[in-house]
Amino acid sequence: MKKNLKSEFSTRQYMISRDYEIYYYSDKKIPAVAAHTHDYYEFYFFIDGHIVMHIDGKEFTPTPGTLIVIPPRMKHFARLVDGSIFYRRFVFWVTRDFLDSLANISNDYNYLADKTLDDKFFIHKFTDIEFNTIQGKGFTLIDEIHSNRFGRDAKILLSVSDFILSVNRMVYESLNPVATSTDSDTLYQSIILYIENHIDENLSLDELSEKLHVSKFHISHIFTETCGIPLHKYIIKKRLDMCRDAILSGADITTVATSYGFSDYSVFYRAFIKEYGKSPKKYKDEIFRKTRID
C-alpha cells in the first residue's frame, strides 16, 4: 500500500476546512514564511531536518519526536537552516469548537489545548515508539482523507478522534507515570498498527526493527508474550484473513495473494489450505452455496 501521502508545501496560513486539517511535509527547500498567527490550534510534530523554530519571541531547535502545541493568536514561524537533508513534519490544525464538540464525549480531548491557556505554548518529546505510533495514525488519517471508500466520512471522524485522543493520552501518561500503560503495551500497538498499514510490504523482523527503532529480539519477545503467537504466524494469519475477505468480495483468486504480501501464489495456496482446510476456490464456492441455500 505504498502511496504518496506527502503534501505540497504552501505558505497559506488559514484553514479551508471548517474543523481540522492535517499535512505531512517533506522538503529540502521552502519559501520564507513570516511570523504569523492562526485562529486555531497548531499541533506541530517534528520528524527530521535542521530548523530553528520561533514562537512568541523565543527560538529553539527541535529534535526528532518533538511535539509543539501552538495556541490561537500566538506568533510563530520556522526557519530552515540546512537544506541538504529533508525537513519532515506533520502539521495538524484544529479549531477549539471542534475540540469542544469532542469534549462532550470526554474532556480528555482538550488536555493538551488546555495546557496552552494563559498564552503559553507547550512542548513535549515523545519516545521513538510513541512517535512511530503517532506517525502511523497520522498517515492513516491522511490516507482516508484522500480516499473515496465507502464510509469515508465516518472513518475520517473516527481516525481524527483517535489521533487527537492518542496524542493527548501519550503526553498525559508520560507526565503522570503512575497512570501509564507499559512500554510493552505501546510497542505492541505500534507493531499491530505498522502491520495493518504495510500488509503488502516486507514485514520481516529486520524491517520492523529498522522502522520502529527497537531490537528485533525485543519485538519478537513482546509480541509473542502479548499476542500469544509468534509474530510471523500473526502476519500470515492477518494476510490470509484479508485475502479471504477479498476473494469473497469478488477479487481474482490468482492475483489476490500478491496484493496482501505473499511472495507467490503457491505459498499463499498452501497457507490457505492449512488455515481453512480447503483451497481458496472451494472455500469461496462453499460459502456462496451456503448463502444461496440460506
Side-chain angles (χ1 to χ4, degrees), residues 35 39 55-56 145 147 167-168 242 274 281 284 287:
D39 58 0
I55 307 177
D56 197 29
I145 289 172
S147 77
V167 173
N168 278 277
M242 297 179 78
K274 183 176 180 180
K281 185 178 185 308
K284 176 182 178 180
I287 293 294

Side-chain angles (χ1 to χ4, degrees), residues 17-167:
S17 301
R18 184 183 66 181
D19 297 321
Y20 52 81
E21 295 178 6
I22 185 169
Y23 301 97
Y24 165 64
Y25 296 116
S26 179
D27 307 285
K28 284 191 173 180
K29 296 170 64 176
I30 57 172
V33 177
H36 58 276
T37 64
H38 307 302
D39 58 0
Y40 46 80
Y41 290 89
E42 177 171 312
F43 286 63
Y44 171 92
F45 301 87
F46 181 74
I47 302 174
D48 202 8
H50 187 186
I51 67 158
V52 174
M53 180 65 76
H54 298 256
I55 307 177
D56 197 29
K58 304 175 181 65
E59 65 177 64
F60 59 95
T61 302
T63 57
T66 297
L67 162 68
I68 307 172
V69 183
I70 305 170
R73 296 174 296 279
M74 180 169 285
K75 284 189 176 183
H76 63 282
F77 71 98
R79 177 172 58 86
L80 184 63
V81 176
D82 183 359
S84 67
I85 55 178
F86 280 100
Y87 168 33
R88 299 191 299 126
R89 67 277 189 206
F90 275 104
V91 176
F92 179 67
W93 292 340
V94 62
T95 66
R96 184 72 196 209
D97 285 346
F98 182 73
L99 290 175
D100 286 342
S101 71
L102 293 176
N104 290 326
I105 303 171
S106 170
N107 198 49
D108 293 344
Y109 285 102
N110 275 334
Y111 175 71
L112 284 173
D114 287 347
K115 283 194 168 294
T116 67
L117 297 176
D118 303 322
D119 297 321
K120 297 181 293 185
F121 60 92
F122 177 77
I123 300 177
H124 181 77
K125 181 70 165 65
F126 291 105
T127 66
D128 288 344
I129 294 173
E130 290 170 337
F131 202 58
N132 277 306
T133 300
I134 291 169
Q135 289 183 69
K137 290 179 183 294
F139 282 126
T140 297
L141 175 56
I142 294 172
D143 186 31
E144 197 64 42
I145 289 172
H146 290 117
S147 77
N148 192 28
R149 301 174 63 188
F150 173 80
R152 171 183 175 274
D153 291 344
K155 180 64 174 179
I156 289 174
L157 183 57
L158 289 172
S159 295
V160 76
S161 300
D162 178 57
F163 180 78
I164 295 171
L165 189 58
S166 295
V167 173

